[in-house]
Amino acid sequence: MKGTEFAEFTNGWRLVLAGLLGTALGMPAIPFYTIGVFAPIFVEEFGWSFATIFGGLSLLAGSVLIVGPFFATLIDRFGARLVASVSLPCLGLSYMTLAASNGSIGQYYLSWLAIAIFGLGATPVVFTRVINSAFEERRGLALGIVLSGAGLFAFVVKPLAQLLIETGGWRVAILVVGAMPVLIASPMVLWGFAGLRSRNVGAGPAARKASEGMTAHEAFRSRSFWLLAIVFIPMSLAVAAPLPNIENILRSLGLSPFEVVQLASLVGIAAVAGRLLGGILVDRFWAPAVGTVILTLGAVACLILSLDHVSFSMACIAILLLGLTSGIEFDLMAYLVARYLGMRSYATTYATLYGIFVVGAFVGPSLFGYAFDRTGTYSGILEACALLLIGGAATVLFLGPYPVRKTEASA
């Protein structure tokens, strides 16, 4: 690396800051990192099973997979700024409706359906498209910073939600969390993405490669696309699915409530570290090799958590490894899509792969809940996750060297 391309950050820091807050307070961060806090409350208050509660995430998965590519076309047509600034407040308001839960499963799932549909314009598809178009030499680092927003949110929201629950009740906690996309993220996106098309950020190599790569039709028929799909399905199940259940997983290992809160908060710190470290590494080394190492570390974490009992220190190691692995997931996906499929149809191809990823990430927590409801332990499903991660670590290496393409049009 040349070391002089940090000038990209001089021109694009507002994009990075707005993207960071957008991912922190957008989808899937808002519902994904908070449902684990409220799940035990819903079990006690309404008598629901964990599988039922986490079933709301399954609705998100279906919506992202089915409707997500349509939102990708809206991004191409109307721009990231408009789509994200409208979707963020709609996401927050939809999330607030969970505070009206009264024991009706139908009402509960209707809230999740609203979250799923109205939040689709505030996913990493929007923010990574902007960053991939604006950055070239430091693309991995820029993606890592932007996508670390979700980890920062995970670190902050769990103790914040617990404090709000203790002081004002769980309904107040939901309302406060739901207000964040409305009052913080949407105004920041409007400010940070202002003049996006005329901004000089994209005047460098990244902008000149905006039309480089495969069409959507070519991408969907390519070997690289299907290899990425094969990698991200097990990755989503094995890395993302345990996170909403992490509090209950730690409780099942015999750890005290205080230790559980401490360890659960570490997920966010480790995820942020993983995003930044992963971004730096993929800028310097072959990204599939980086992915192999990270996925292997995730497998080790799952094996530790699958034990009957673990000490606080061993649980801490597992949480840090799992957090690091989860930290690199979205930026690795965004980086590999841009490198192997190109930017020509990035919104469509990434939205499709993101939908595939989300199916595993959002259906997986319900499977974890079902396994625990049936067996009283997470050991078996965590061992299966370790095997899936090892398989993904081997598969990603088959992507081969980065393709070299000619730019089809200049910006």
Side-chain angles (χ1 to χ4, degrees):
M1 297 187 61
K2 300 176 183 178
T4 60
E5 283 74 12
F6 279 108
E8 290 179 318
F9 283 96
T10 301
N11 294 325
W13 68 270
R14 285 175 61 172
L15 295 175
V16 173
L17 179 58
L20 184 148
L21 288 171
T23 56
L25 301 174
M27 202 163 74
I30 285 281
F32 190 77
Y33 286 111
T34 58
I35 185 60
V37 177
F38 298 110
I41 297 173
F42 292 154
V43 169
E44 183 177 350
E45 182 125 350
F46 303 129
W48 296 340
S49 67
F50 279 98
T52 297
I53 294 166
F54 288 114
L57 293 176
S58 300
L59 289 176
L60 295 188
S63 298
V64 170
L65 183 62
I66 297 170
V67 189
F70 167 73
F71 271 79
T73 64
L74 294 181
I75 297 167
D76 289 332
R77 182 173 180 181
F78 299 107
R81 182 174 184 257
L82 177 61
V83 172
S85 63
V86 171
S87 183
L88 282 165
C90 291
L91 168 64
L93 293 171
S94 299
Y95 183 88
M96 289 182 191
T97 64
L98 288 171
S101 297
N102 58 8
S104 168
I105 295 296
Q107 178 187 355
Y108 175 74
Y109 283 158
L110 189 61
S111 292
W112 278 100
L113 186 60
I115 292 169
I117 294 175
F118 292 118
L120 285 176
T123 67
V125 175
V126 180
F127 306 111
T128 60
R129 183 180 186 276
V130 172
I131 296 303
N132 272 314
S133 296
F135 289 80
E136 174 65 21
E137 295 295 334
R138 304 290 178 173
R139 176 183 290 171
L141 179 57
L143 286 170
I145 294 172
V146 166
L147 292 169
S148 68
L152 290 171
F153 176 76
F155 172 65
V156 172
V157 76
K158 291 180 183 293
L160 174 62
Q162 194 62 44
L163 176 63
L164 291 170
I165 291 168
E166 292 172 358
T167 56
W170 64 269
R171 298 182 194 274
V172 170
I174 288 175
L175 291 175
V176 172
V177 172
M180 292 179 180
V182 182
L183 301 179
I184 300 174
S186 184
M188 284 300 297
V189 166
L190 285 170
W191 169 77
F193 288 1
L196 188 60
R197 292 181 180 177
S198 61
R199 185 186 296 275
N200 195 38
V201 171
R208 292 194 296 271
K209 294 182 179 180
S211 61
E212 177 185 304
M214 304 178 188
T215 64
H217 180 68
E218 292 169 341
F220 293 148
R221 297 177 61 186
S222 70
R223 173 177 175 270
S224 295
F225 176 88
W226 290 105
L227 279 174
L228 288 171
I230 291 170
V231 169
F232 288 122
I233 289 174
M235 184 176 175
S236 63
L237 280 167
V239 177
L243 295 180
N245 291 273
I246 199 66
E247 289 89 353
N248 211 44
I249 290 173
L250 294 171
R251 289 190 194 98
S252 71
L253 297 176
L255 297 166
S256 70
F258 179 71
E259 290 174 328
V260 168
V261 172
Q262 283 185 308
L263 291 170
S265 297
L266 285 179
V267 172
I269 298 176
V272 172
R275 297 244 190 261
L276 298 178
L277 178 62
I280 294 171
L281 290 176
V282 297
D283 278 339
R284 294 181 177 273
F285 305 104
W286 185 46
V290 174
T292 294
V293 173
I294 296 295
L295 292 176
T296 302
L297 293 177
V300 173
C302 289
L303 288 175
I304 293 174
L305 293 175
S306 70
L307 301 175
D308 292 334
H309 296 283
V310 297
S311 65
F312 179 83
S313 58
M314 285 298 293
C316 186
I317 292 172
I319 291 297
L320 290 174
L321 290 178
L322 190 64
L324 283 170
T325 307
S326 70
I328 200 175
E329 58 195 9
F330 286 138
D331 39 332
L332 179 65
M333 188 190 335
Y335 192 92
L336 291 175
V337 170
R339 282 292 188 184
Y340 285 94
L341 304 180
M343 291 301 298
R344 187 175 179 184
S345 58
Y346 177 85
T348 301
T349 53
Y350 182 73
T352 304
L353 284 168
Y354 178 75
I356 293 172
F357 180 93
V358 166
V359 167
F362 286 179
V363 172
S366 185
L367 293 177
F368 267 70
Y370 177 78
F372 182 77
D373 290 338
R374 291 292 300 271
T375 66
T377 179
Y378 292 99
S379 294
I381 196 164
L382 283 167
E383 290 170 355
C385 286
L387 292 175
L388 288 173
L389 285 172
I390 293 298
T395 303
V396 72
L397 296 174
F398 287 97
L399 284 168
Y402 298 137
V404 178
R405 302 184 182 92
K406 294 181 179 181
T407 304
E408 298 182 12
S410 298

